[in-house]
């Protein structure tokens, strides 16, 4: 079997969730690497969108910013933020790929504060475009390392909506119908959500890990999908494209 | 009247009354006058303590760096800042502690590069009153202002803590019964936008993504333009399709070549990652950072001096090659 690190594993697993012809709103870092890898493997017609206005670029190298010139290199359109977010709000964007400091069992994300909002222990950037993408895109995917400090019972601040308090809370709050968290991709597993309670559940476990290990690195009780399978490991081809074409300078996979 | 179902408890820093805005715009000069001036003059004339400031571009992409520096150099204070898509611009303004109120959509971070230690200290100091928003929320507030209406609806933000600490109001749509988040119009007192080309009157061309600058240019009461290149009005008139900001929105035009440095300028030069890394590193030590600011901003007379200090044209040439994906050895 091929040798790979944690970040490579997450990016490969994430890239497989995107099908050819789909539309996806992404941020920088691992989400962008996953989208680039998908574009260079199974989804050549993947439409990548960046919140600052880039539509369907042929990414030559990893962008450093979601607004830098790489995000509209050989793109079909260099637009603006309203164009992108309104395309999402109209229902034409299938996925969004996000990161986040903290995630809870309903897929809510915190990137605003640790501690009390009024007197923050640690202040983070805030929503950026994450709340917007996660409100509007049909399916939200999150890439983050499996770590009990990140997977918490309750996020200290819901910056970006998941299923809120579960059940139908999301739609009742006023967010567009039939949208919401879809997958969480970590270095140990791929998780989805229970269709009724909207709680996070383990769907596939990466080679070499057990459900117990995933649970130990999660701050809340995880559910299990009716059938939990083993994630197929990254192939030589996926790793080779990731290393030579997607991130040759190892900005992301070297972390 | 709509019944307000839920509302955020965040402060609304600016009046969303469209008639007050109209009264202002009624008196805004329409004359096609030469508005060329220096960055120092533009900031002296149009940025006033206590007013609301917004910066165009996307943090470290097509930003009016010279204006941000000059606001710090002139020690402006008590501004209200639109922390919208802000990264290096926020870092500069936070270094000068020029604002004490902030609408937050994205602050402190420099995206994949990490968080600014100094901006974080400033935001955790209790010196700044804040209101939470999202990037699209702020773009919508500018869009409402550009439209000349008091709000526009959106379907994001609802149900979150971002909403709870915003100044958004949720109402039931009178047509469908669905909940809608209403975003109050935002007319900034002054905005600065860096563009590729402008004429002396302020007609502007931008290449690449526009981010929220088309809305911002129309929402701002006063608008300072910095440009890579001045072009003749004949050039503007030869292809009006390219004009994205018409002159009557503009109050000042400053020619600042390489003016987005150390940020990226599409089709011109890439961001100077080494310089941005230096900022992040030196910020970890407040004492060192003071010295760095003295050297880079307070001690330089203008943007050209700052650029020279950091490698000048030679550095720009390297960044130009990077932008065009040309490998130099």
């Amino acid at each position: 079997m091929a040798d790979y690190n944690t970040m490579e594993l997450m990016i490969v697993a994430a890239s497989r969730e995107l099908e050819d012809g789909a539309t996806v709103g992404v941020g920088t870092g691992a989400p962008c690497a996953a989208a680039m890898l998908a574009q260079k493997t199974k989804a050549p017609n993947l439409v990548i969108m960046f919140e600052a206005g880039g539509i369907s670029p042929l990414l030559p190298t990893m962008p450093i910013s979601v607004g830098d010139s790489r995000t509209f290199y050989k793109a079909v359109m260099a637009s603006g933020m309203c164009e992108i977010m309104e395309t999402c709000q109209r229902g034409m964007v299938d996925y969004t790929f996000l990161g986040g400091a903290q995630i809870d069992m309903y897929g809510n994300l915190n990137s605003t504060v640790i501690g009390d909002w009024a007197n923050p222990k640690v202040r983070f950037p805030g929503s950026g475009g994450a709340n917007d993408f996660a409100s509007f895109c049909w399916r939200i995917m999150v890439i983050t390392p499996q770590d009990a400090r990140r997977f918490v019972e309750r996020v200290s601040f819901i910056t970006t909506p998941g299923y809120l308090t579960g059940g139908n809370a999301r739609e009742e709050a006023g967010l567009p119908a039939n949208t919401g968290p879809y997958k969480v991709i970590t270095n140990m597993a791929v998780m989805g959500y229970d269709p009724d309670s909207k709680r996070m559940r383990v769907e596939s476990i990466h080679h070499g890990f057990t459900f117990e290990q995933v649970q130990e690195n999660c701050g809340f009780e995880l559910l299990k999908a009716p059938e939990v399978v083993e994630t197929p490991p990254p192939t030589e081809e996926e790793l080779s494209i990731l290393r030579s074409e997607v991130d040759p300078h190892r900005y992301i996979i070297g972390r | 009247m709509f019944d307000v179902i839920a509302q955020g408890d965040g402060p609304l820093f600016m009046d969303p009354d469209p008639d007050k805005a109209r009264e202002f715009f009624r008196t805004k000069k329409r004359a096609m006058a030469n508005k060329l001036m220096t960055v120092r003059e533009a900031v002296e004339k149009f940025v006033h303590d206590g007013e609301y400031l917004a910066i165009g571009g996307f943090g470290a992409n097509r930003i009016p760096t010279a204006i941000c520096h000059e606001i710090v150099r002139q020690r402006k204070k008590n501004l209200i800042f639109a922390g919208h898509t802000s990264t290096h611009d926020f870092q500069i303004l936070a270094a000068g502690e020029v604002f004490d109120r902030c609408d937050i959509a994205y602050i402190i971070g420099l995206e994949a590069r990490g968080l600014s230690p100094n901006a974080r200290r400033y935001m955790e100091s209790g010196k700044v009153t804040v209101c939470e928003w999202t990037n699209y929320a702020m773009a919508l507030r500018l869009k409402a202002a550009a439209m000349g209406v008091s709000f526009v609806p959106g379907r994001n933000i609802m149900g979150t803590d971002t909403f709870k600490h915003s100044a958004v109001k949720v109402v039931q749509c009178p047509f469908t019964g669905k909940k809608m988040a209403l975003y109050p119009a935002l007319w900034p007192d002054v905005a600065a936008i860096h563009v590729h080309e402008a004429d002396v009157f302020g007609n502007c061309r931008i290449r690449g993504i526009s981010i929220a600058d088309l809305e911002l240019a129309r929402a701002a009461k006063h608008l300072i333009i910095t440009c890579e290149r001045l072009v003749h009005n004949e050039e503007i008139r030869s292809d009006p399709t390219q004009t994205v900001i018409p002159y009557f929105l503009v109050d000042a035009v400053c020619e600042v070549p390489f003016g987005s440095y150390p940020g990226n300028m599409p089709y011109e030069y890439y961001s100077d990652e080494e310089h941005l890394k230096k900022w992040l590193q030196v910020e970890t030590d407040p004492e060192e950072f003071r010295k760095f600011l003295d050297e880079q901003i307070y001690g330089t007379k203008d943007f050209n001096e700052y650029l020279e200090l950091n490698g000048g044209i030679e550095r720009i040439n390297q960044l130009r090659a990077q932008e065009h994906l040309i490998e130099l050895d």
Side-chain angles (χ1 to χ4, degrees):
Chain A
M1 195 188 314
D3 218 15
Y4 45 83
N5 69 28
T6 298
M7 190 55 92
E8 289 172 333
L9 174 60
M10 285 199 288
I11 292 168
V12 169
S15 76
R16 292 175 181 166
E17 300 291 341
L18 295 165
E19 72 272 13
D20 198 27
T23 44
V24 58
V26 302
T28 47
C32 185
M36 274 176 87
L37 180 59
Q39 197 178 51
K40 289 173 191 293
T41 53
K42 61 188 282 260
N45 303 304
L46 182 69
V47 178
I48 300 175
M49 296 188 187
F50 291 92
E51 65 176 78
I55 301 181
S56 204
L58 301 177
L59 293 165
T61 58
M62 188 74 67
I64 295 171
S65 159
V66 293
D68 81 32
S69 50
R70 309 305 188 227
T71 64
F72 49 97
Y73 182 79
K74 294 190 179 177
V76 297
M77 187 173 177
S79 72
M81 179 168 288
C82 286
E83 177 79 22
I84 298 296
M85 292 307 177
E86 284 151 23
T87 304
C88 298
Q89 190 167 237
R90 280 197 308 276
M92 285 205 72
V93 181
D94 303 313
Y95 300 100
T96 185
F97 245 134
L98 302 171
Q102 283 185 328
I103 186 167
D104 68 18
M105 67 171 82
Y106 298 113
N108 301 305
L109 296 166
N110 174 21
S111 59
T112 301
V113 288
I114 300 291
D116 179 33
W117 176 78
N119 299 294
K121 200 167 103 200
V122 185
R123 174 75 214 199
F124 289 116
S127 158
N131 181 303
D132 310 317
F133 272 144
S135 294
F136 302 146
C137 295
W138 289 105
R139 291 168 159 180
I140 306 163
M141 297 202 276
V142 172
I143 307 180
T144 190
Q146 190 77 52
D147 177 343
R149 284 167 306 176
R150 286 176 180 269
F151 286 74
V152 294
E153 180 96 33
R154 281 180 71 86
V155 290
S156 47
F157 190 100
I158 303 179
T159 308
T160 296
Y163 287 112
L164 302 176
T165 52
N168 292 324
R170 192 179 154 97
E171 205 174 322
E172 282 162 12
L175 298 173
N178 304 316
T179 57
Y182 175 61
K183 302 282 181 197
V184 181
I185 296 112
T186 77
N187 54 308
M188 295 186 185
V190 176
M191 284 157 290
Y193 293 84
D194 178 80
D196 300 316
S197 70
K198 304 290 163 55
R199 274 181 57 183
M200 202 183 289
R201 67 180 193 187
V202 175
E203 293 182 344
S204 90
I205 297 175
H206 302 337
H207 179 81
F209 294 102
T210 63
F211 178 83
E212 288 66 33
Q213 282 173 303
V214 181
Q215 181 62 74
E216 273 167 30
N217 288 280
C218 182
F220 54 86
E221 189 199 346
L222 283 164
L223 304 178
K224 268 187 192 175
E227 196 191 354
V228 178
V229 298
E230 181 177 300
T231 322
T235 65
E236 293 285 358
E237 194 205 355
E238 285 167 324
L239 290 168
S240 149
I241 293 171
L242 175 58
R243 290 166 187 167
S244 62
E245 294 177 40
V246 174
D247 191 15
H249 300 292
R250 302 183 60 79
Y251 293 128
I252 311 296
I253 61 178
R255 278 183 191 172
Chain B
M1 187 154 173
F2 290 136
D3 286 332
V4 174
I5 299 168
Q7 58 186 332
D9 62 9
L12 189 56
F13 297 124
M14 299 297 277
D15 190 342
D17 184 335
D19 282 317
K20 287 184 187 161
R22 282 177 60 87
E23 282 306 318
F24 173 84
F25 287 113
R26 185 177 198 176
T27 61
K28 184 157 172 148
K29 289 193 175 62
R30 284 91 159 123
M32 207 151 159
N34 183 335
K35 294 160 190 169
L36 204 57
M37 61 185 82
T38 64
V39 165
R40 180 197 279 181
E41 288 168 335
V43 171
E44 276 171 1
K45 218 168 159 183
F46 297 110
V47 183
H48 305 117
D49 291 350
E51 288 190 342
Y52 196 107
L53 168 73
I55 296 292
F58 197 97
N61 307 291
R62 201 169 48 67
I63 51 167
T65 310
I67 298 293
C68 297
H69 282 188
E70 189 59 26
I71 289 170
V72 170
R73 207 177 275 122
Q74 291 188 19
R75 300 183 191 272
K76 299 291 180 191
K77 55 182 191 298
N78 308 122
L79 296 172
I80 315 168
F81 185 60
H84 174 230
T85 68
S86 62
T87 69
H88 185 56
D89 47 355
F90 189 85
Q91 191 177 21
I92 297 167
L93 296 168
E97 303 198 356
V98 298
F99 57 86
D100 60 11
R101 286 153 288 171
C102 186
D103 278 322
I104 298 177
Y106 184 95
I107 59 164
I108 294 174
L110 278 91
E111 300 184 71
R113 306 172 186 97
L115 303 177
S116 155
N118 180 71
R120 199 160 114 180
R121 279 193 296 273
Y122 188 51
M123 295 310 293
E124 290 166 3
S125 70
K127 291 179 187 168
V128 186
T129 305
V130 304
C131 189
E132 302 284 339
W133 305 90
T134 73
N135 273 348
Y136 181 53
M138 288 296 284
L140 280 178
R141 296 185 65 198
L142 297 171
K143 178 180 258 196
M147 289 168 71
V149 298
S150 53
F151 70 85
V152 293
R155 302 189 69 192
N156 50 340
I157 217 171
M158 293 178 281
T160 63
D161 292 318
T162 309
F163 162 74
K164 272 187 205 150
H165 297 291
S166 73
V168 169
K169 292 183 195 289
V170 175
V171 300
Q172 197 169 20
C173 166
F175 299 101
T176 63
K178 291 181 192 293
K179 288 177 182 169
M180 293 286 151
L182 304 190
Y183 291 100
L186 169 62
W187 285 278
D189 292 305
V190 59
I193 298 175
H194 187 62
V195 304
H196 289 78
E197 294 175 339
D199 67 11
V200 297
F201 310 112
N203 293 299
C204 299
R205 292 171 166 179
I206 291 174
R207 296 188 65 205
I209 53 172
S210 52
I211 310 150
D213 288 357
L214 307 187
E215 292 83 3
L216 176 59
R218 287 150 183 81
K221 289 183 171 174
H222 297 100
L223 180 57
I224 302 170
I225 294 295
T226 63
C227 63
E228 287 288 320
R229 284 175 296 280
L230 268 183
V231 295
H232 199 278
N233 180 251
E234 287 295 312
E235 172 65 22
I236 295 287
R237 290 186 187 271
S238 74
D239 186 6
T241 2
Q242 286 195 58
T243 309
V244 291
I245 297 173
Y247 75 95
F248 50 79
L249 303 177
V250 175
D251 295 275
V253 178
C254 314
E255 188 177 25
V256 186
F258 319 118
S260 180
Y261 177 88
N264 169 222
M265 188 65 179
Y267 309 104
E268 303 281 341
Y269 44 90
Y270 202 59
S271 47
D272 187 345
E273 292 306 313
E274 283 169 36
H275 184 71
L276 290 169
K277 201 178 280 172
K278 196 165 152 193
W279 268 78
L280 291 177
Q281 276 163 359
V282 75
E283 281 187 8
T284 54
D285 181 344
E287 198 57 31
E288 283 301 305
F289 185 49
R290 281 293 124 196
K291 281 188 223 156
F292 178 79
L293 282 182
D294 280 343
E295 172 197 274
Q296 298 276 328
I297 298 180
Y298 295 111
T300 51
K301 78 170 193 302
D302 58 19
F303 182 79
N304 280 347
E305 236 181 73
Y306 160 79
L307 190 60
E308 278 305 314
L309 200 60
N310 294 291
I313 298 295
E314 213 174 316
R315 184 66 185 138
I316 291 289
N317 283 342
Q318 293 166 348
L319 300 173
R320 205 182 270 292
Q322 266 187 49
E323 174 66 12
H324 296 290
L325 301 165
I326 298 165
E327 298 275 348
L328 299 175
D329 285 319

